[in-house]
Amino acid sequence: MKIRVLFINLVLLVVTNTISQTFKLKIEIENIEQKGTVYLAIYDNSTSFNQDNKNKSIDKKRWVKSIVEAVTIDGFTKSIELKKGVYAISLFVDSNDNKIIDKNFLGIPSEQYGFSNNATGFLGSPSYKDASFNLVDDLDIKISLK
């Protein structure tokens, strides 16, 4: 009987530990040309990533984590804890504090932006697949702004 209880406790400990694994994600933003406010969103699914990056009804509930902080041309570094999983990051630097990414008359962003994996898209945002990364250990990510 004692062995059975011990075994069950061991199994519960392993399962709980596996489910609640969190890792440190260090995000570094490079090539900041103007000071402003960074708007960074972390997604865990393609639907939310694609909808937000095509400016369709932006809904904060779709973000796993968001960061809104002042940045300078010296750069930006932030460390956060996330559960094990697949994520993608989308961000822009709002240099005129209007809380949106400004675009020119052709629809091309006139403020700096970037994605995890430094992914780029053809005539638009990259796919979730191109921007996604697998967080299974502590990870450092560098995003170069465009």
Side-chain angles (χ1 to χ4, degrees), residues 24-27 77-81:
K24 185 175 87 170
L25 175 65
K26 180 180 171 188
I27 304 165
T77 302
K78 183 78 171 185
S79 291
I80 60 170
E81 296 279 330

Side-chain angles (χ1 to χ4, degrees), residues 27-40 69-77 91-95 111-114 143-146:
I27 304 165
E28 184 179 341
I29 303 172
E30 302 176 317
N31 304 332
I32 300 173
E33 294 174 356
Q34 292 184 341
K35 68 179 183 172
T37 303
V38 66
Y39 287 84
L40 183 147
E69 289 189 24
V71 295
T72 65
I73 58 173
D74 295 329
F76 177 84
T77 302
L91 69 94
F92 74 96
V93 175
D94 183 12
S95 55
E111 292 181 300
Q112 289 188 288
Y113 63 93
I143 300 175
S144 294
L145 296 180
K146 293 155 185 65

Side-chain angles (χ1 to χ4, degrees), residues 125-136:
S125 301
S127 69
Y128 178 79
K129 180 181 174 185
D130 290 343
S132 66
F133 56 92
N134 195 6
L135 186 64
V136 294

Side-chain angles (χ1 to χ4, degrees), residues 102-146:
D102 295 326
K103 298 177 181 177
N104 65 19
F105 69 98
L106 296 173
I108 299 170
S110 56
E111 292 181 300
Q112 289 188 288
Y113 63 93
F115 299 93
S116 44
N117 296 335
N118 292 311
T120 57
F122 179 71
L123 298 177
S125 301
S127 69
Y128 178 79
K129 180 181 174 185
D130 290 343
S132 66
F133 56 92
N134 195 6
L135 186 64
V136 294
D137 202 354
D138 291 348
L139 182 64
D140 294 351
I141 289 183
K142 288 185 181 186
I143 300 175
S144 294
L145 296 180
K146 293 155 185 65

Side-chain angles (χ1 to χ4, degrees), residues 43-65:
Y43 301 89
D44 65 355
N45 67 80
S46 61
T47 303
S48 297
F49 180 84
N50 293 336
Q51 286 176 342
D52 279 358
N53 286 294
K54 293 187 182 356
N55 293 327
K56 295 181 182 174
S57 64
I58 295 174
D59 181 359
K60 293 179 183 178
K61 294 176 187 162
R62 290 196 293 252
W63 303 340
V64 171
K65 176 91 174 152

Side-chain angles (χ1 to χ4, degrees), residues 1-14:
M1 182 67 170
K2 288 182 182 180
I3 293 175
R4 190 176 289 166
V5 170
L6 189 63
F7 177 73
I8 290 171
N9 284 335
L10 181 62
V11 168
L12 288 174
L13 179 66
V14 169

